[in-house]
Each structure stands twice: as C-alpha cells, then as structure tokens.
C-alpha cells in the first residue's frame, strides 16, 4: 500500500487580534469561556470533557497554558507512569522512541548534543540531586535572571480570606438561583435573571458588612455595565481582561459550567456568563476595595529558576563559569527549554509511550485474531450500544450459540425527545450534540391505565404530603415522631440485610409503578404545543431512520429470524450518579424507549415495503424485538415481545437459556475486576445483584472506566477476541458506504460522544480535585441539579474517585486519550479528514488518536499530524 497521504497540516494564515479595548465585552467573555464546558444537571448526567473549547490548540500547549496560568495539570503524576511501567503497561522501547522522535522534530534552542542527555535525565527525575542545589554560585546566578512574567491572577486570589468569602458568596447565590428542587421559598426576582435578582437583594445580604453593601448601593442595574465598571475599579488592564475573566470562570468551573448549560437552554450563552461574571467581579470589588490599589507582581521569584538552573549545571555538562559566559537571551532560552520539558514535554512523552504500548498490544491482539467458525447461519442478531460494557456480554453471548451481535450508538439513530405515559416532562433521548427533531409519546387505553393511575396518584399523594409536612414550620416538628419507627425499620433492614431488603424494595417499586401495555406515537399527528416539535414520523422519515442505522452497521441482508434491539441502563441504589451509568447516547437515561421505537418501526409493513424498493429486503419471518441490557448485573430483559413467526419463536426459545449463561460468564469477568470482592465469587450473578440493590455500595459497577479505543468496523475483526471491556465497538462495513457519509456520521456523532466520555474519565483521573467530584461518601446533592462536597463547595462536574480508582493509591482507569480505529481503505480516511475540519483538528492537535486497518491488506496505519506511517514493530 502506498504510504503517501494527505497531510493533516493546513496552511495557517496570520491572524492579528484587535486591541482588547476595541473588542466588545461579550466577545472577551466568549473567548474566556473556552476554558469551561457546559454542565448538565445530575439527573441527566452527560459525559463531556472539560476542554472542548480548547481543541483548536495542541493538547500539550493547552496543558502548558492551564498549568502556568491556573495550576491545573492535564497529565498524570510521574508516580502513575511509574506504576503503569511496573505493571508492564509502558514499554521502555516506546519511551526511548518517543524521546528520539521529539528531539528530531523540535526546533531546539540548544544543540542536540547538549539537549539529549539533559532531556533523558529529566525524563526520569522529578528533582535535582541535593548536591546540585548546594552549589555556592547557584543563588547568585538564579537571582540574575527572571524566567517569565507571572500569570494574571484575580486580586481576590492573592488574598486568601477574601477569595474564600467570594467563593462562598457565589456558591450561595448560585444555589439559590439555579435550584430545581422546587423549594417552597423561591428566590425573589428570579424571573428577571441572575444579575438583576442579585442586584435587588444584595443590599440586604447579612453576610456582607455595612461598608461592603454601601459600596454596591449605586452599582449599575445592567449586568454588562456592572462588569465593565468592576474591571475598571479593580484596575484590570485592557490586554489582561480576557485572562482575568478566564481565571474567575475557572475559580468555580462547576457553577460556571451550569451557567453555560442553563444559558444555552434559553439561547443566549454569553448573556448568562456576563451576568455570572458581573455578580462575581462586583462582589470582588466590594470585598477588596480597602486593599486597592494592589501591587502586582510581574515576575516569578528566583526560587522557580533555582532548580532549572541546577538541572542545566548538573545534567547539561555546564560549569557556573560556562553559564556566566552565555548571553542573557540564551540563558533565558535554556531555562525556558528545561522548564517546558520538565513540566509538560516529558509527561507528554510518557503518555504517548503508554498509549503506544496499548496500541501495539491491541494491534497484536486483533492481528492474531482468527475468525470464529461461521458455518452455521445466525438464528438471532442482537444490536447493542457501543458502550464498552457491552463488549464482554457480546463476546460471551456469541461464544454460547449461533448468534451475531452488532454495535451502534444506543439511541439507534433516532433524534427524538420522549414523553412517558402521563408525564408533563419530556426528555431529549439522543446525544447532547444532536437536537431532537421529533417527539414520541407513550399512551395507553383508558381502562387499562386506570388502575395504574390510581396507584401512581396514591404514591404521589403520600410523597407530596410527606414533603409538605417536612417543609412546614410546625408540622415538621411532629414528622420524626410519626415516621421515625417506620424509617428506622427501613434503615435497619437495608443495612443489616441489604440484598434481601433491596430486592423487597425493588419489587414493591416495580409493582407500584407497573405500567399497562402502552403504545407509541410513531405516526405523524400534529405538533407538541410546548416544544413545537412534530409528534411522530412521516412514512418517509420512518424509512430513512431504519435504513440509516441498518446501512451504518452493515446489516442490509442475511437477516436472522430474530433481531433484538438492546437499549441499556444500570440499576443502583442511593446513587446520585445513576444517570452517569445509563446511556449517554440517550441523554443520560435508559435506552428502553429508543429500543422500542426502532423495533416497532422496523416491524412496520409499510417501512419494509419501502426498504425493499431500496434493496434492503427484510424477510417476513424476521421479527424485531426490543430488550434492555442491565449493565450492573449483565442481564438482558425483554421490553416488549410482539407476535413471533415460527422461525423467530424457535430462535427466541434457544436464545433465552444462552442469555443466562452469557450473563453468568460476563458477571464472573466483571466481579474479578471489582475491589473488595476477593477474586471471582462463588456465585457472581448473586454478587452482582446484591451490589445493584445495596444502598451502601459505593462501586456497584465500574461503568466505562478503562475505556481506551473506539473501533469502527466489521465484527469479524474482533469476534471471539477478549478486548477486556475497554473498546467501544461500532459496526461498520465500508463496502456499504461508497460515499463515506455513514463513516462521517459515525465520526461526528458516536465517536465524538466516545471522545467526550474518554476525556471525562481522563480528567477525573489526572486532576480529581479539580475535574473530578471527590469521595462519593461525603457528597451532598444540592438543589436537584448536582453534587457538592459538604454544603458549600463548587458544583462538582466530574466523576467520583470511586469511579476511576480501586483505592486511594491505586488507579483502575488508565488515563489514555481515545484511539479511534477505522476499518476502511486509506482514501476513506483522507476524504474524512479533508471534509471534517473539526475531526482533523482533534487528530492534529492530539485530543484523540487515529489509526486505520486496510480491509484488503490488513495493514495497520497510524495517522499523525503531517504524515502517515505504519506503527513500528515492538
């Protein structure tokens, strides 16, 4: 195969930014907001990586900027790399190779002869030896030069007690304004917006002193004008305004992310951020006014230079006299070289070596794969979500019978919002990057629904009464006496016998919530008054959605008698992160609704007739059935089984016992990975079920921890291969996609969601105190929108430590950037990169990695910025 390929590099024109003073304030705020990402409410926890606004710059450069300006590390600590090396996850051959490649392509400020031994020493050492720091000439040499200007920091951040008060104020006002728990005492003037409501109420805030309130007495009533005035009074220079606002947004990135999400819901993201920043900077000025004007520090102190200079003298083969003879400009260049390499580049090389080791092992696993015996035609085909938790279950199911499995995004290509039976609320049951185009409602016959509604209304009445009594000033005093004995028994049972009590509670809830047989509004009939979206689909839309998915996964012929459409959800107890374990492609909800919709559409005679005209013939004996994969217990539950043909009925009977065996095997594999289980338990299914209902269980399952790759290709590539539950598997047959549109859709949708998931786990692992959410056992759900540590922290945006680590000192998730692997000829990849600028930037700037497998030669091709090269042998 030719190794020539289209370069990922594009000509870069010179772009000069206007002076900050000439730029509108809204533009400065929008630019500053790139360092944060929208945060969805915890009830619909959507995976998102916190650096989505920074993908226009290389990963290493973004890491450098965030570390220098804000002290945020985007790389794992060196101890994590060393632990991975000890476990055989990092091959030292790749470490050396990455160093040599880095030296080859870097425009070095020093000679290669000097740089190589210095970099190799820095690669392995976190500190300079003590004797190197004891040189008598060192302090004088370090004092003579400054490395770089200090980062722009808010004035309040330089006054410890002030920044704590400022954060407490912002947390308080955000909790009051963004509360979704429908408390009886709502924030006055909330309908006017965040800043106007705060402006009207701050004069009565007892947490501020009289002098601080007086400073805000004549403050502007418009948020943008207030922000402009605060910047002026704080003495922020025009050229520093963006960095100053960026630092304030990163002070509480969770609440700032919630502002972005809520503002996008109403279509004016910048307005919401201006209001948020206007409140924060107005409060900052009121708090720091007595300290103004504040002396700013323009340079780093000499101690920051000391170790860098010592490194040059110790490992660079220089004497103090050699250093003194260098021009000051070259001294600064050499110190900057060591500084950047020690802080950023060496970590990047270690990360790439870890990633390349994993890629080499995955390549070896896939290359050594021998297809399973396919002499018998499959009697059932099952469509699973690409979720990495599906991989072990699919593998074990295929091993126990004549079954085929396919992978696709768990919303099954349906851009819908759903409304459950009698619900006033709709849920966007599609990825966050997809706007719903249709609404699907669930309805039931009146007579069948009447008993269900009576039960539901009774439970709602009890719940509402309990809530009102609890919130009432006088009646609340009696509530402990009335409910204490019953709740005490409930607590005792769930603590002493969690498995038994949990099953009883789950069964009682299921009996109370059991719905009658419902119908879905699949056929177009008008629009929803509240959302304006059409209810149902036209016939053309029904055909298009079914065809699109079948073509994307390569299932256009050889249909089995039974095709099972599997959504997925988790089952946990007492877990605010329950939606994080559900289907991200369905907006952080279970995938049952989408599975039902797609199965029913594929069974419609009108849809099949139109598909046949386009060459996709679904036999009359083939029946689509909706099911749900319960990831916590690795069990497949049937949602709705329509009348089956004779062949489908036979397949159904054979599939049911096979599912039980696949469940047992998958649970045994999963339980062995969970800490505190003690190896594989005697009954892995029972242990999985206990963990699902135990309300004290902090780790009912690992979720998507461990995810590392996203494979787009035919199942024949990996069928029967143990991928260890670390690979998203999306079915794709390039032969069914001559225009490349299906591949482009997979990259723009499912692969992007996979990257978000990957980088959310990455961020929660490498910077858990900033991008994670800490210890799950000490969290508090606040306002119905998210979690905090205690009652006064930032709104925590990432995953709890228990989702990525086996203990305080041992990680479970390996923080690797996602490797996307596409089975297709190279010209498919070239076409994709040429047409999709966003994807090109992700690859070029290192926010994900890209490889392809040539379907004809089997060659593994690694796509990198500027060139194409086969992965070298280990």
């Amino acid at each position: 195969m030719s190794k020539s390929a289209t370069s990922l590099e594009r000509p870069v024109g010179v772009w000069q930014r206007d002076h900050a003073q000439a730029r509108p304030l809204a533009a400065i705020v929008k630019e500053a907001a790139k360092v944060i990402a929208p945060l969805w409410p915890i009830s619909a926890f959507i995976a998102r990586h916190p650096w989505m606004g920074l993908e226009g710059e290389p990963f290493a450069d973004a890491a450098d900027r965030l570390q220098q300006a804000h002290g945020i590390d985007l790389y794992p600590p060196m101890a994590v790399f060393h632990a991975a090396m000890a476990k055989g996850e990092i091959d030292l051959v790749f470490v050396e190779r990455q160093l040599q490649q880095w030296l080859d392509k870097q425009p070095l400020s020093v000679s290669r002869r000097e740089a190589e031994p210095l970099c190799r020493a820095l690669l392995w050492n976190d500190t300079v030896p003590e004797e190197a720091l004891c040189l008598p000439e060192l302090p004088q040499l370090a004092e003579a030069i400054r490395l770089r200007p200090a980062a722009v920091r808010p004035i309040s951040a330089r006054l410890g007690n002030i920044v704590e008060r400022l954060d407490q104020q912002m947390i308080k006002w955000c909790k009051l304004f963004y509360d979704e728990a429908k408390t009886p005492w709502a924030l006055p003037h909330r309908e006017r917006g965040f800043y106007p409501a705060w402006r009207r109420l701050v004069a009565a805030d007892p947490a501020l002193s009289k002098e601080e309130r007086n400073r805000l007495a004549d403050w502007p009533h418009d948020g943008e004008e207030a922000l402009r005035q605060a910047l002026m009074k704080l003495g922020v220079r025009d050229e520093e305004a963006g960095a100053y606002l960026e630092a304030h947004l990163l002070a509480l990135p969770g609440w700032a992310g919630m502002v972005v999400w809520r503002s996008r819901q109403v279509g004016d993201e910048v307005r919401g951020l201006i209001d948020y920043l206007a409140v924060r900077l107005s409060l900052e000025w009121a708090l720091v006014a007595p300290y103004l004007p504040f002396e700013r520090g323009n340079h780093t102190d000499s101690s920051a230079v000391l170790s860098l200079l010592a490194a040059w003298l110790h490992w660079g083969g220089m004497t103090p006299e050699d250093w003194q003879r260098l021009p000051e400009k070259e001294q600064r260049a050499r110190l900057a070289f060591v500084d950047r390499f020690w802080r950023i580049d060496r970590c990047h090389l270690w990360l790439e070596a870890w990633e390349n080791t994993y890629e080499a092992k995955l390549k070896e696993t896939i290359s050594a794969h021998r297809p399973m015996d396919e002499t018998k035609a499959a009697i059932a085909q099952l469509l699973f979500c690409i979720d990495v938790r599906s991989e072990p279950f699919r593998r074990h199911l295929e091993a126990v019978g004549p079954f085929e499995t396919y992978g696709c995004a768990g919303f099954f290509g349906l851009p819908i919002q759903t409304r459950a039976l009698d619900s006033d609320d709709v849920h966007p049951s599609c990825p966050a990057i997809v706007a719903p185009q249709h609404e699907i409602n669930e309805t039931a016959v009146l007579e069948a629904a009447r008993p269900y509604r009576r039960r539901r209304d009774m439970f709602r009445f009890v719940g509402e009464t309990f809530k009102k009594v609890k919130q009432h000033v006088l009646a609340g005093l009696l509530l402990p006496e009335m409910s204490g004995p019953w709740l005490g028994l409930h607590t005792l049972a769930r603590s002493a016998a969690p498995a038994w009590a949990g099953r009883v509670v789950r069964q009682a809830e299921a009996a109370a919530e059991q719905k009658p047989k419902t119908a879905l509004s699949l056929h177009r009939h008008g629009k929803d008054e509240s959302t304006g979206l059409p209810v149902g689909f036209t016939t053309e839309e029904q055909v298009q959605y079914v065809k699109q998915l079948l073509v994307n996964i390569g299932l256009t012929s050889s249909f089995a008698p039974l095709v099972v459409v599997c959504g997925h959800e988790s089952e946990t107890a007492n877990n605010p992160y329950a939606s994080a374990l559900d289907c991200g492609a369905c907006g952080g909800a279970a995938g049952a609704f989408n599975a039902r919709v797609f199965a029913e559409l594929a069974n419609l005679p009108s849809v099949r007739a139109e598909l046949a005209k386009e060459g996709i013939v679904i036999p009359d004996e083939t029946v689509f059935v909706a099911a749900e994969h319960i990831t916590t217990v690795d069990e497949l539950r049937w949602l709705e089984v329509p009348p089956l043909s004779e062949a489908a009925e036979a397949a159904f009977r054979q599939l049911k016992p096979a599912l039980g065996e696949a469940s047992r095997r998958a649970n045994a594999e999963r339980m062995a990975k969970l800490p505190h289980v003690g190896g594989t338990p005697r009954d892995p299914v029972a242990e999985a079920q206990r963990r699902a209902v135990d309300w004290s269980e902090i780790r009912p399952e690992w979720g998507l921890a461990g995810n590392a790759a996203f494979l787009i290709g035919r199942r024949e590539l990996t069928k029967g291969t143990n991928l260890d539950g670390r690979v998203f598997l999306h079915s794709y047959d390039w032969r069914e996609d001559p225009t490349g549109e299906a591949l482009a859709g997979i990259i723009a949708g499912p692969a992007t969601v996979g990257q978000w998931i990957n980088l959310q786990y990455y961020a929660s692992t490498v910077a858990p105190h900033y991008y994670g959410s800490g210890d799950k056992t000490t969290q508090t759900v606040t306002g119905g929108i998210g979690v905090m540590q205690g009652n006064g922290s930032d709104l925590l945006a990432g995953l709890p430590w228990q989702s990525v680590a086996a203990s305080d000192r041992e990680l479970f998730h390996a923080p690797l950037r996602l490797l996307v692997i596409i089975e297709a000829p190279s010209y498919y990849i070239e076409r994709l990169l040429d047409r999709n600028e966003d994807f090109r930037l992700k690859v070029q700037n290192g926010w994900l990695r890209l490889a392809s497998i040539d379907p004809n030669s089997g060659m593994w091709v690694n796509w990198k910025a500027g060139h194409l090269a086969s992965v070298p042998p280990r």
Side-chain angles (χ1 to χ4, degrees):
M1 185 195 76
S2 171
K3 293 187 180 181
S4 62
T6 304
S7 169
L8 292 184
E9 302 290 352
R10 290 279 178 94
V12 180
V14 177
W15 177 71
Q16 293 185 347
R17 207 178 266 185
D18 293 333
H19 193 270
Q21 191 174 24
R23 299 178 67 202
L25 187 58
I28 299 174
V29 170
K30 188 173 183 180
E31 182 71 17
K34 288 183 177 180
V35 296
I36 58 173
L39 176 62
W40 282 260
I42 193 70
S43 58
F45 193 91
I46 305 295
R48 96 282 190 269
H49 80 83
W51 312 300
M52 56 180 65
L54 302 178
E55 290 184 340
E57 56 187 290
F59 185 88
D61 290 351
D64 187 24
R65 182 159 73 90
L66 287 174
Q67 188 189 71
Q68 285 196 64
H70 309 291
I72 302 170
D73 289 317
L74 266 62
Y75 293 103
M78 289 304 299
V80 171
F81 291 126
H82 293 159
M85 183 177 61
K87 291 189 290 187
E89 295 177 4
I90 299 179
D91 191 328
L92 293 183
V93 171
F94 285 115
V95 177
E96 179 62 25
R97 183 174 294 151
Q98 291 307 120
L99 174 61
Q100 294 300 325
Q101 290 177 354
W102 183 86
L103 290 168
D104 288 341
K105 66 184 180 181
Q106 286 297 314
L108 301 175
S109 58
V110 296
S111 69
R112 173 72 175 259
R113 179 181 56 81
E114 293 178 286
E116 186 168 337
L118 175 64
C119 290
R120 185 171 287 108
L122 294 172
L123 201 61
W124 289 95
N125 291 278
D126 291 331
T127 58
V128 182
E130 189 66 30
E131 62 269 20
L133 291 169
C134 293
L135 285 174
E137 303 94 337
L138 202 61
Q140 183 180 355
L141 294 176
E143 183 66 30
I145 193 168
R146 295 290 185 264
L147 181 59
R148 58 178 181 270
V152 175
R153 297 177 64 210
I155 294 173
S156 56
R158 290 173 254 174
L159 301 167
N161 59 325
I162 298 295
V163 75
E164 289 178 7
R165 286 190 63 201
L166 177 59
D167 285 345
Q168 289 168 0
Q169 281 284 311
M170 291 304 298
I171 291 166
K172 175 184 69 178
W173 287 105
C174 285
K175 284 168 63 177
L176 291 169
F177 183 79
Y178 290 106
D179 179 274
E180 289 189 351
K182 300 177 181 178
T183 56
W185 299 309
L187 181 73
H189 313 298
R190 184 177 178 180
E191 69 284 353
R192 296 174 180 268
F194 187 33
Y195 178 81
W198 170 84
R199 176 66 184 82
R200 284 173 170 265
L201 297 171
V202 69
D205 187 352
L208 298 177
S209 68
K210 183 178 179 180
E211 292 76 12
E212 290 163 347
R213 293 196 298 268
N214 287 339
R215 291 184 193 118
L216 297 169
D218 298 323
W219 206 243
H221 289 271
D222 176 70
E224 186 167 344
E225 181 57 33
L227 179 56
R228 186 176 288 107
Q229 186 163 322
L231 287 167
M232 181 187 67
K233 286 183 174 292
L234 289 166
V236 179
R237 295 196 293 254
D238 295 332
E239 64 272 16
E240 293 180 344
Y244 200 85
L245 297 180
E246 183 180 285
H248 272 292
L249 290 172
L250 283 171
L252 295 173
W255 284 112
M258 177 57 63
V259 172
V260 173
W261 179 80
R262 286 287 292 269
S263 300
R264 286 184 180 181
Q265 299 302 105
V266 298
D268 192 354
E269 175 182 330
V270 176
R271 180 74 255 173
L273 284 170
I274 287 175
D275 273 9
Y276 174 84
L277 289 168
V279 172
R280 185 171 178 93
L281 270 75
S282 299
L283 282 168
E284 182 182 37
W285 175 75
L287 296 175
V288 306
Y291 302 92
L292 298 176
F294 196 85
E295 182 180 352
R296 59 178 74 237
N298 291 322
H299 299 281
T300 53
D301 63 343
S302 58
S303 62
V305 180
L306 203 64
S307 60
L308 302 178
L309 179 54
W312 256 115
L313 299 181
H314 184 71
W315 290 311
M318 298 186 70
T319 65
E321 293 74 20
D322 294 333
W323 182 264
Q324 285 181 313
R325 284 194 291 269
L326 294 175
E328 183 178 341
K329 183 178 179 181
E330 186 172 345
Q331 288 179 349
R332 284 200 302 269
R334 287 176 177 246
L335 290 177
F337 174 79
V338 173
D339 176 53
R340 162 81 184 213
F341 187 86
W342 216 351
R343 289 185 303 102
I344 300 299
D345 294 326
R346 71 163 181 160
C347 296
H348 196 82
L349 297 183
W350 276 101
L351 177 63
E352 287 186 326
W354 196 354
E355 292 167 340
N356 288 340
T357 304
Y358 172 76
E359 181 177 349
K361 291 179 178 179
L362 182 62
K363 174 192 173 185
E364 184 179 346
T365 299
I366 294 176
S367 300
H369 165 65
R370 295 291 179 268
M372 297 176 67
D373 182 17
E374 300 292 348
T375 54
K376 293 181 64 176
I379 63 169
Q381 295 160 329
L382 298 95
L383 279 56
F384 284 90
C385 182
I386 56 174
D387 192 299
V388 295
R389 292 169 292 180
S390 299
E391 186 272 321
F393 192 78
R394 291 174 59 182
R395 171 168 29 96
H396 291 301
L397 181 59
E398 290 167 338
V400 296
F403 312 118
E404 285 181 349
T405 67
Y406 293 80
C408 60
F411 76 120
F412 304 106
L414 300 170
I416 60 176
Q417 65 181 23
T418 57
R419 190 186 299 271
L421 180 64
D422 295 341
S423 175
D424 295 328
D425 301 318
V426 293
H427 175 76
S429 196
C430 53
I433 56 177
V434 176
Q437 303 295 317
H438 312 270
E439 181 174 313
I440 305 298
N441 298 331
E442 192 178 34
T443 59
V445 178
L446 180 60
E447 289 301 318
R450 187 170 289 135
Y452 158 74
R453 288 174 176 144
R454 278 200 300 266
R455 292 194 306 272
R456 180 202 62 197
D457 292 343
M458 180 186 69
F459 277 93
R460 283 184 181 175
F461 172 76
V462 172
E464 288 297 320
T465 301
F466 186 88
K467 183 177 180 181
K468 288 180 179 178
V469 171
K470 183 171 65 173
Q471 293 172 342
H472 194 277
V473 176
L474 297 179
L477 299 175
L478 298 175
L479 189 61
E481 305 297 329
M482 299 165 55
S483 62
W486 303 104
L487 294 179
L489 287 173
H490 174 261
T491 301
L492 182 62
R494 297 211 70 167
S495 301
W500 173 82
R503 282 194 298 270
V504 170
V505 171
R506 188 67 55 84
Q507 290 168 1
E509 291 174 346
E513 297 173 4
Q514 185 177 7
K515 289 183 180 179
K517 183 176 177 60
T518 58
L520 303 176
S521 57
L522 300 182
H523 304 285
R524 175 69 60 83
H525 56 278
K527 294 185 176 182
D528 181 83
E529 294 180 0
S530 60
T531 63
L533 291 181
V535 177
F537 312 98
T538 64
T539 301
E540 292 76 17
E541 290 165 344
Q542 293 172 345
V543 174
Q544 179 59 30
Y545 289 132
V546 175
K547 176 188 174 184
Q548 179 176 286
L549 182 70
L550 295 179
V551 169
N552 282 359
I553 65 175
L555 180 58
T556 57
S557 61
S558 303
F559 289 91
L562 184 68
V563 181
V564 184
V565 185
C566 307
H568 73 91
E569 72 166 323
S570 71
E571 283 187 354
T572 58
N574 190 30
N575 181 15
Y577 286 90
S579 63
L581 298 176
D582 284 341
C583 183
C586 295
F593 215 115
N594 291 63
R596 285 185 60 194
V597 172
F598 187 86
E600 291 193 22
L601 289 178
N603 284 332
L604 291 175
S606 57
V607 170
R608 293 192 176 191
E610 292 300 318
L611 288 174
K613 294 178 183 178
E614 301 190 39
I616 302 177
V617 179
I618 302 176
D620 292 340
E621 69 173 5
T622 296
V623 181
F624 285 71
V625 179
E628 194 164 35
H629 175 207
I630 311 300
T631 58
T632 327
V633 294
D634 266 317
E635 177 183 322
L636 202 68
R637 296 179 187 169
W638 304 103
L639 297 172
E640 192 168 309
V641 181
L644 301 175
S645 65
E646 185 175 338
E649 177 67 38
F652 187 75
R653 287 196 302 269
Q654 190 169 342
L655 177 61
K656 288 178 71 175
L659 288 171
E661 176 61 19
S663 176
R664 186 189 66 78
R665 295 186 184 187
N667 274 306
E669 182 177 322
R670 285 196 313 108
M671 289 300 109
K673 296 180 180 180
L674 286 166
H676 314 305
V677 175
T680 304
R682 182 181 304 173
D683 188 346
V685 175
E687 175 63 15
Q689 292 174 344
R690 181 198 66 77
R691 297 176 83 93
V693 297
D694 187 347
W695 71 349
S696 66
E697 181 55 63
I698 58 173
R699 198 179 284 105
E701 60 163 285
W702 272 123
L704 290 92
N707 72 85
F710 192 110
L711 195 151
I712 304 169
R714 295 170 296 172
R715 179 57 172 156
E716 285 79 3
L717 276 175
T718 56
K719 190 172 184 178
T721 302
N722 185 352
L723 300 177
D724 201 28
R726 301 189 66 184
V727 183
F728 298 94
L729 293 174
H730 199 300
S731 298
Y732 171 73
D733 190 336
W734 66 277
R735 297 168 298 183
E736 301 281 349
D737 183 33
T739 65
E741 290 183 13
L743 178 59
I746 294 170
I747 290 296
T752 298
V753 173
Q755 183 216 10
W756 287 13
I757 292 169
N758 170 264
L759 286 177
Q760 181 175 62
Y761 274 86
Y762 180 100
S764 299
T765 303
V766 301
H769 301 297
Y770 196 85
Y771 291 120
S773 62
D775 190 339
K776 186 186 288 188
T777 62
T778 57
Q779 290 174 347
T780 302
V781 178
T782 180
I785 56 174
V787 297
M788 300 190 307
Q789 285 291 341
N791 65 350
S793 78
D794 188 17
L795 199 61
L796 304 175
L799 298 162
W801 186 241
Q802 287 86 353
S803 292
V804 297
S807 68
D808 289 344
R809 293 184 174 85
E810 182 184 0
L811 291 179
F812 177 80
H813 179 71
L816 309 178
R817 293 167 297 177
L818 189 68
L819 170 65
V820 175
I821 309 161
I822 303 171
E823 184 200 20
S826 289
Y827 68 86
Y828 271 58
I829 316 302
E830 294 170 1
R831 180 173 57 189
L832 172 68
L833 292 168
D834 185 60
R835 294 178 179 177
N836 190 329
E837 184 68 19
D838 289 341
F839 185 63
R840 169 185 284 271
L841 281 175
K842 290 175 190 287
V843 178
Q844 180 174 309
N845 290 334
W847 294 95
L848 55 73
R849 297 172 297 133
L850 177 63
S852 64
I853 301 174
D854 188 280
N856 298 314
S857 66
M859 179 176 287
W860 184 287
V861 180
N862 186 271
W863 295 77
K864 293 182 180 179
H867 71 280
L868 176 153
S870 299
V871 173
R874 297 177 68 228

